[in-house]
Amino acid sequence: MDTNWTNIGSVDLYPQDLGSCVLVGDVQVAVFHLADEQRWYAVQNYNPQNERMVLSRGIVGDEKGTPIIICPLHKYRYSLKDGKCFTDEQYSLKVFEVREEAGELLVKAS
Amino acid sequence: MVAIHLVMKPRIIVVGNGMVGYKFCEKFLEKDTASKYQLVTFCEEPRPAYDRVHLSEYFSGKSAEDLYMNKLSWYSENDIELYIGEKVVEIDREHKTVTSCKGKVLEYDKLVMATGSAPFVPPVPGADKAGVFVYRTIEDLDLMKDYAKQAKTCAVIGGGLLGLEAAKAAQDLGMKTHVVEFAPRLMPRQLDTAGGLLLKSVIESRDISVHLNKNTKDIAGDGAVSKMVFADDSELDVDMIIISAGIRPRDELAKECGLEVGERGGIKVDKYMLTSDPNIFAIGECALYEGMIYGLVAPGYKMADVAAGLLCGVEETFEGADMSTKLKLIGTDVASFGEIEAKEGDREIVINDDFKKIYKKLVISADGKLLLGGILVGDADAYGGLLQIYQNKMALPPEPIQLISPAGDDSQVGTSVMDLPDSAQICSCEAVTKGTLCSAIDDGASSVGDLKACTKAGTGCGGCVPLMTDLFKAKMAESGVVVSSRLCEHFDLSRSEMYDVVKVSGIKTFDELLEKHGKGVGCEICKPTAGSIFASIWNKPILEQKKLQDTNDAFLANMQQDGTYSIVPRIPGGEITPDKLIVLGEVAKKYSLYTKITGGQRIDLFGARVDQLPVIWKELIDAGFESGHAYGKSLRTVKSCVGSAWCRFGVQDSTTLAIDLEKRYRGIRSPHKFKSGVSGCARECAEARSKDFGIIATEKGWNLYVGGNGGMTPRHADLFASDIDRETLIKYTDRFLMYYIKTAERLERTSVWLTKLEGGLDKLKAVVIEDSLGICDELDEQMKHLVDTYECEWKDAINDPEKLKRFRHFTNSDEKDKSVQFVQERDQIRPATLQERNFSINL
């Protein structure tokens, strides 16, 4: 499938070391900033474990150096790099590309 | 036709690329180290092998690719010629060739039949109508998904393992679901009558209707299904039917080329998986070994292993397999192994708990020494251990009931995984022994995930993962890896140590704390703990450090199961004016919130979206409310009775004291939440002794109790001081709370903390009353600071645009989150269940 970069607005709208949710087409994408690496990650906002749109509201961290997002509802941990769930490997998240360009954030998801 | 044979290497052709056909390729690559053969495999379906065991996950969010056994590129990387969507239509044994549906003719040296099985469709009139489906392939699922859009009611014919999986899938598609079973119980192969009955009641409680003893006579409807008619002339109106009445081996190719097949189907094989033609193997569900077709993945894998071994000169044999299985069906655990009914002379132990919906049965030899089989429904945690005892014929403990006694019973004596012999098979899908796992750990596997990756154990049905985890932990402990009270991988400190470090060195940010005392980025354990400690010591509004706050604290509200929030304004002591009650009603009405009275004498407003929280709080604050901190690890409420002001038995003014105490300690962050109550007389209507600190009025003053708890582990609070005056009461309470905040571990309630405190209640009295540690000045000063610097977090937040930034669902859009949906119940809203939701998840 052809996917395009979507501009999701100024970097200033997205807090450091935290998650935000954006709408790309009808897909809810959770965008995260990791201050430690000074970079952005994006995964699906939908947590397949509890079937809720909540991941952007989770806390970010790392498990043995791999950046992770932890679901705010039941604390399932997912790798931000490849979407794999550390807590229960039957779950995984779709990972999207995200990059910063001239003060704007772009995600590749549609 | 000219046969093409360009490769010089002898060629093995695998007919069928299902789970077992794939496993053969994988096992073969491992064993064929000299790369003697060229592997070719034909796949009838339009995609490479995928995990059919977890097929229902296709409806709960997984894509077809997610279910692949291995990536498409894996085949070419390993030099396997894979023909997708190309079915083999003919085998010429004389010329040793196969012909595909696209006319390709290939010579083989060895042939492996892994053609699998097809769903059995009973000869019921009307089974060819629109709306009747089988449940085996992703294509079947796609067709079902499409049809389900116009269907409201679905029946699954067949109450076996696969039928119940299909029922879950049908329910996930939003249909009212029925299961129709011919036998008098569900899962007749795996369960006995009582186990089947219990499973039936569990499934019915999940809104799936179960009809037993039903023989479908006719599928009626004009072109499409509209109802089922049973042999007893009863009827069921349905718009869709899924048939899951068993499998039939795909042996048609074998028959046509003259291989020996069984009377009721299946390609006959010997213990080497060889058919009647010494150049042709058959493995998986198409193979018939000693009159048995094995419809489970573990025996199929074993067959693949045996055939691959023989081709590479390793002689192994297949000698049948037990049909032990453990799985989660419709949210409940079901497992069985070995004999499920006692034969003459055998003995049984049965636990049948209709309240907790748990059924456990062990079948034991007459002499009480051997475990012959068992059934577990509702709680299958014991499965791994029991299976080991059964497979390894290990001696049973003197009281075998302990093996299945309920969790939490200290006398439980499961078999330690370390007692197993090295030859014990831990993972039966991948045939991995304890010895193999132990060497992998010795060779450096540092997590259960590592173990899975390097041994493949636990990657099939997953039933052995708990046992693997136990083994991993036991091995770690054995090799001296100390389990410390450290918070998490980022800090070698306990919570109380972190508290002291922060206090003594005046650290005010997480980054500084991490730099000086930790490592990595942090996680959901250390970040909120540090945030709480900063608040307990410095008392700045918690959203000043947004990134440390988890779930509830992050949005100053209580996140509910559907991702919406509930709001609890403070109502000190449970006293509220009519005007304020009206405001709560009006706000709830305006924003369509569900309202409920809490156990702590306040009012909880549910169903607010994240973007609504600031506007709702603006209205509440304008009306004089403040945050109730129901979202924090902090004081909840001080519950009270009306005391001497109204009650004819009251001896002191409990309401006033409760209000004063609640206002004094509001918002203080602590290791866990804490609650209080004040009763105006010994009748104890405020239930003060179930609180972290509780006060009961006496003729002479007040009795102070500490360390009580309701909830999961109830504990009556201990009497700390009697007949004290108000001033002393506040002094003691201040010190008690500060000492708890300073020394307790993360998420440790006062009851547990007090039980663990060395010296117990006497020690606590010495510290608080006699200042035995010389810290009372510090405790008093700290509490004064907290009381003096209190601010309402919500008032602070709504006046700070920076803090409000995150209170919206989409940063780039004003649209609402469409996945949040409510239905009406008893004139109020409640979250729509997954079945009730009308929303498609786009990823």
Side-chain angles (χ1 to χ4, degrees):
Chain A
M1 206 175 17
D2 221 19
T3 46
N4 298 314
W5 289 97
T6 304
N7 187 326
I8 54 167
S10 165
V11 170
D12 301 338
L13 294 171
Y14 297 84
Q16 302 256 310
D17 257 354
L18 284 166
S20 309
C21 182
V22 295
L23 195 59
V24 179
D26 50 9
V27 181
Q28 294 199 16
V29 177
V31 177
F32 299 94
H33 178 263
L34 255 89
D36 177 55
E37 306 174 45
Q38 276 304 316
R39 66 160 286 186
W40 302 90
Y41 288 97
V43 295
Q44 67 190 51
N45 191 35
Y46 174 77
N47 181 352
Q49 173 258 328
N50 50 38
E51 310 187 36
R52 300 299 184 190
M53 292 287 187
V54 291
L55 290 175
S56 65
R57 288 176 270 169
I59 220 163
V60 291
D62 79 289
E63 182 165 321
K64 289 186 197 143
T66 304
I68 53 170
I69 169 64
I70 300 115
C71 172
L73 280 170
H74 304 109
K75 315 298 173 193
Y76 276 52
R77 293 172 160 215
Y78 294 91
S79 161
L80 286 171
K81 284 209 185 296
D82 59 15
K84 282 197 183 122
C85 181
F86 286 105
T87 316
D88 182 344
E89 66 159 23
Q90 68 167 301
Y91 302 112
S92 63
L93 306 178
K94 202 174 246 189
V95 177
F96 303 104
E97 285 181 68
V98 54
R99 67 183 160 94
E100 197 177 322
E101 197 176 280
E104 309 268 304
L105 266 193
L106 303 162
V107 287
K108 201 172 180 181
S110 60
Chain B
M1 227 174 281
V2 183
I4 307 162
H5 194 170
L6 297 174
V7 194
M8 297 308 286
K9 281 186 197 171
R11 183 189 280 144
I12 296 174
I13 295 181
V14 185
V15 185
N17 185 236
M19 291 177 83
V20 172
Y22 162 81
K23 188 55 67 174
F24 172 84
C25 297
E26 192 190 283
K27 296 275 182 193
F28 186 80
L29 288 176
E30 263 170 40
K31 295 173 199 270
D32 182 32
T33 43
S35 198
K36 256 177 25 197
Y37 286 97
Q38 171 65 40
L39 263 190
V40 178
T41 181
F42 284 89
C43 178
E44 173 187 14
E45 290 188 51
R47 56 179 63 78
Y50 53 89
D51 184 355
R52 254 188 259 280
V53 175
H54 296 105
L55 198 56
S56 67
E57 288 171 19
Y58 187 61
F59 285 145
S60 45
K62 283 209 176 171
S63 69
E65 286 78 14
D66 292 337
L67 291 170
Y68 281 5
M69 299 298 293
N70 220 326
K71 288 193 287 279
L72 197 50
S73 58
W74 177 84
Y75 297 87
S76 52
E77 281 159 16
N78 287 290
D79 206 22
I80 299 173
E81 278 175 46
L82 169 68
Y83 296 100
I84 288 182
E86 198 162 346
K87 180 182 172 181
V88 170
V89 292
E90 197 191 334
I91 297 169
D92 180 344
R93 292 205 285 137
E94 197 186 325
H95 299 99
K96 291 175 80 176
T97 60
V98 300
T99 307
S100 82
C101 61
K102 294 186 182 164
K104 190 177 283 119
V105 180
L106 281 186
E107 269 179 31
Y108 65 82
D109 293 279
K110 300 285 177 186
L111 191 68
V112 178
M113 307 281 292
T115 45
S117 68
F120 168 64
V121 178
V124 178
D128 53 350
K129 286 201 162 68
V132 182
F133 298 88
V134 293
Y135 185 81
R136 179 161 179 96
T137 65
I138 285 183
E139 281 63 42
D140 294 335
L141 265 59
D142 281 336
L143 291 171
M144 281 167 58
K145 211 173 184 172
D146 227 38
Y147 197 84
K149 285 180 193 149
Q150 53 180 48
K152 289 198 176 68
T153 313
C154 177
V156 176
I157 300 181
L161 198 151
L162 208 60
L164 295 179
E165 276 275 324
K168 163 83 166 60
Q171 194 179 39
D172 281 350
L173 285 172
M175 293 178 284
K176 165 66 196 159
T177 302
H178 299 265
V179 171
V180 176
E181 167 62 45
F182 177 70
R185 62 168 179 263
L186 290 172
M187 299 185 71
R189 280 172 157 232
Q190 289 87 5
L191 300 181
D192 61 0
T193 306
L197 267 178
L198 189 109
L199 181 62
K200 175 171 181 270
S201 73
V202 172
I203 288 173
E204 284 172 336
S205 75
R206 297 187 190 241
D207 216 21
I208 293 177
S209 306
V210 178
H211 311 265
L212 300 174
N213 293 309
K214 290 284 180 197
N215 184 4
T216 310
K217 184 168 83 175
D218 187 30
I219 294 174
D222 187 13
V225 177
S226 65
K227 76 176 174 196
M228 300 167 74
V229 184
F230 302 110
D232 60 7
D233 287 330
S234 58
E235 297 180 358
L236 183 65
D237 288 336
V238 292
D239 342 296
M240 183 166 152
I241 292 175
I242 302 171
I243 295 181
S244 178
I247 54 166
R248 287 291 176 267
R250 296 272 303 267
D251 56 7
E252 62 273 13
L253 268 178
K255 264 187 207 157
E256 281 163 21
C257 72
L259 288 176
E260 254 183 69
V261 295
E263 260 170 51
R264 298 180 57 209
I267 309 168
K268 283 192 181 172
V269 291
D270 63 10
K271 62 183 178 180
Y272 301 109
M273 309 324 293
L274 278 171
T275 64
S276 53
D277 179 330
N279 289 313
I280 303 181
F281 294 79
I283 56 177
E285 290 177 325
C286 66
L288 182 73
Y289 175 76
E290 294 196 340
M292 273 284 283
I293 296 285
Y294 290 88
L296 291 177
V297 69
Y301 282 6
K302 176 69 187 165
M303 293 179 188
D305 193 42
V306 169
L310 196 69
L311 283 165
C312 298
V314 188
E315 190 183 317
E316 282 180 66
T317 55
F318 180 81
E319 322 236 310
D322 75 85
M323 301 298 271
S324 60
T325 180
K326 175 193 168 190
L327 64 166
K328 217 175 191 66
L329 283 173
I330 317 184
T332 195
D333 282 342
V334 179
S336 83
F337 58 95
E339 304 290 337
I340 55 169
E341 303 268 14
K343 297 207 178 75
E344 209 183 317
D346 297 343
R347 298 200 274 179
E348 284 185 353
I349 294 174
V350 175
I351 294 176
N352 194 349
D353 185 339
D354 200 26
F355 288 90
K356 287 191 182 149
K357 298 290 177 202
I358 288 172
Y359 178 79
K360 298 178 181 181
K361 170 171 165 178
L362 297 181
V363 180
I364 295 169
S365 63
D367 60 6
K369 286 186 180 149
L370 278 185
L371 181 59
L372 303 175
I375 297 173
L376 304 166
V377 182
D379 168 15
D381 288 352
Y383 174 75
L386 290 173
L387 190 66
Q388 290 302 328
I389 296 177
Y390 163 70
Q391 287 177 340
N392 295 296
K393 299 195 168 37
M394 294 167 73
L396 284 169
E399 290 183 41
I401 193 169
Q402 290 170 315
L403 296 170
I404 50 171
S405 57
D409 181 350
D410 288 339
S411 65
Q412 191 166 7
V413 290
T415 312
S416 162
V417 65
M418 295 310 273
D419 295 340
L420 295 171
D422 271 357
S423 60
Q425 198 173 76
I426 304 285
C427 171
S428 45
C429 294
E430 294 286 341
V432 181
T433 62
K434 179 188 160 194
T436 310
L437 290 170
C438 288
S439 0
I441 297 170
D442 294 339
D443 291 347
S446 64
S447 67
V448 176
D450 278 4
L451 265 187
K452 282 186 184 175
C454 64
T455 64
K456 296 215 171 68
T459 58
C461 71
C464 62
V465 175
L467 205 63
M468 273 173 72
T469 310
D470 287 350
L471 178 67
F472 179 74
K473 283 189 185 154
K475 281 286 284 179
M476 282 290 139
E478 207 175 50
S479 59
V481 176
V482 185
V483 183
S484 70
S485 61
R486 64 186 219 161
L487 218 42
C488 61
E489 64 169 276
H490 306 103
F491 287 94
D492 275 325
L493 301 170
S494 65
R495 180 202 167 270
S496 52
E497 288 164 345
M498 186 183 274
Y499 181 97
D500 288 337
V501 162
V502 170
K503 180 110 205 254
V504 171
S505 36
I507 294 174
K508 293 198 170 62
T509 67
F510 184 72
D511 291 345
E512 189 186 346
L513 183 64
L514 197 64
E515 192 192 322
K516 289 187 176 156
H517 301 278
K519 57 170 190 260
V521 179
C523 66
E524 85 284 13
I525 297 165
C526 58
K527 281 180 164 182
T529 304
S532 163
I533 289 173
F534 293 141
S536 293
I537 297 176
W538 315 121
N539 211 23
K540 294 276 181 230
I542 60 161
L543 288 192
E544 305 269 305
Q545 302 205 41
K546 273 193 268 191
K547 68 174 188 184
L548 302 185
Q549 311 305 334
D550 199 12
T551 317
N552 293 347
D553 278 324
F555 294 93
L556 306 178
N558 293 50
M559 191 187 262
Q560 303 297 330
Q561 50 105 328
D562 63 339
T564 64
Y565 292 87
S566 85
I567 294 168
V568 190
R570 188 166 300 288
I571 301 176
E575 183 185 274
I576 185 165
T577 63
D579 279 342
K580 279 189 155 177
L581 258 184
I582 288 168
V583 169
L584 291 182
E586 279 173 345
V587 168
K589 207 167 172 179
K590 178 168 171 187
Y591 295 96
S592 302
L593 305 174
Y594 167 82
T595 55
K596 192 168 191 307
I597 311 288
T598 73
Q601 302 187 329
R602 19 194 212 178
I603 294 169
D604 205 340
L605 314 172
F606 290 78
R609 294 187 317 264
V610 65
D611 54 287
Q612 293 178 310
L613 291 172
V615 283
I616 293 173
W617 267 107
K618 172 93 177 48
E619 295 197 23
L620 293 173
I621 283 168
D622 288 347
F625 284 102
E626 62 176 357
S627 168
H629 298 94
Y631 48 81
K633 304 291 178 220
S634 54
L635 176 71
R636 292 295 156 87
T637 73
V638 182
K639 189 174 175 176
S640 73
C641 62
V642 290
S644 57
W646 289 90
C647 177
R648 61 202 160 104
F649 301 113
V651 293
Q652 303 282 353
D653 183 358
S654 52
T655 316
T656 302
L657 180 65
I659 293 170
D660 290 351
L661 289 174
E662 184 161 338
K663 286 188 171 167
R664 183 169 181 83
Y665 301 125
R666 64 191 162 181
I668 292 175
R669 288 307 200 281
S670 51
H672 208 321
K673 65 182 172 187
F674 61 103
K675 301 178 177 184
S676 179
V678 182
S679 282
C681 77
R683 284 173 183 72
E684 241 282 69
C685 294
E687 298 164 328
R689 288 195 66 195
S690 67
K691 307 299 184 192
D692 294 274
F693 66 100
I695 296 118
I696 300 176
T698 66
E699 298 282 350
K700 296 177 198 155
W702 305 95
N703 281 355
L704 173 62
Y705 295 84
V706 296
N709 198 0
M712 263 197 307
T713 42
R715 180 181 193 271
H716 264 146
D718 297 318
L719 180 62
F720 183 83
S722 312
D723 297 327
I724 50 177
D725 61 19
R726 183 187 157 103
E727 197 186 336
T728 313
L729 174 90
I730 290 174
K731 184 167 79 182
Y732 288 174
T733 308
D734 281 0
R735 292 175 182 174
F736 162 73
L737 288 174
M738 273 329 303
Y739 187 46
Y740 161 67
I741 291 170
K742 180 180 161 64
T743 58
E745 293 311 323
R746 172 180 172 267
L747 300 183
E748 190 169 68
R749 290 289 292 269
T750 59
S751 56
V752 177
W753 168 75
L754 184 57
T755 322
K756 278 167 60 183
L757 186 70
E758 220 172 294
L761 187 65
D762 288 339
K763 160 85 180 288
L764 184 65
K765 284 183 186 169
V767 172
V768 168
I769 301 173
E770 295 149 27
D771 195 13
S772 63
L773 294 179
I775 56 169
C776 283
D777 283 349
E778 179 202 324
L779 299 179
D780 292 344
E781 200 184 313
Q782 184 63 28
M783 183 57 88
K784 184 173 184 306
H785 170 67
L786 294 181
V787 174
D788 288 348
T789 53
Y790 165 80
E791 271 181 89
C792 169
E793 285 159 356
W794 263 112
K795 194 170 180 178
D796 171 66
I798 57 170
N799 292 312
D800 186 341
E802 189 52 40
K803 289 184 182 126
L804 292 182
K805 259 190 176 175
R806 235 183 144 213
F807 286 86
R808 52 185 301 167
H809 192 79
F810 297 114
T811 305
N812 67 339
S813 163
D814 288 328
E815 270 194 46
K816 304 283 173 272
D817 174 8
K818 288 186 190 130
S819 74
V820 170
Q821 292 173 8
F822 301 108
V823 293
Q824 290 286 317
E825 189 168 273
R826 293 183 294 276
D827 300 327
Q828 297 206 67
I829 58 159
R830 71 159 164 80
T833 62
L834 295 173
Q835 288 77 38
E836 287 164 342
R837 275 202 297 184
N838 172 25
F839 176 74
S840 57
I841 304 298
N842 295 301
L843 299 174

